[in-house]
Amino acid sequence: MSVAAPSAVLALKRSNSTVRYCFEADAEPGVLPRALELIAKRGLVPARVFAQADADSLNVEIEVEGLAPETAEHVGRCLSEIVGVRLTF
């Protein structure tokens, strides 16, 4: 089931308690650690992380289990504010 969030997260995919964040960013070394920090500082470990870089962009998917809906929305908004993130979907 996909839920279009009214926040900056354009597509926040939910399956029971799993949230998938997908975004495109500049291929910069600090983007992925900053994104993962948003999850880690909530005491969670991502269930799945996928990142693929090409010449100038980085495509990332992060799946997290156990986030409350409000927290999931907040994390999504924070992801879109990370320097270098171009697009969240």
Side-chain angles (χ1 to χ4, degrees), residues 56-68:
D56 69 341
S57 69
L58 178 67
N59 293 301
V60 179
E61 292 182 22
I62 302 172
E63 282 187 13
V64 183
E65 296 176 359
L67 284 178

Side-chain angles (χ1 to χ4, degrees), residues 14-85:
R14 275 197 162 279
S15 168
N16 297 326
S17 65
T18 302
V19 178
R20 180 181 296 156
Y21 299 101
C22 303
F23 63 92
E24 180 183 302
D26 297 335
E28 305 250 337
V31 173
L32 188 57
R34 286 193 296 267
L36 292 172
E37 180 183 19
L38 293 172
I39 308 304
K41 72 181 188 180
R42 285 162 177 79
L44 298 170
V45 175
R48 180 177 169 269
V49 177
F50 174 79
Q52 184 172 359
D54 63 24
D56 69 341
S57 69
L58 178 67
N59 293 301
V60 179
E61 292 182 22
I62 302 172
E63 282 187 13
V64 183
E65 296 176 359
L67 284 178
E70 306 81 31
T71 305
E73 295 271 342
H74 176 72
V75 169
R77 284 190 300 273
C78 291
L79 280 172
S80 69
E81 295 173 4
I82 292 174
V83 174
V85 172

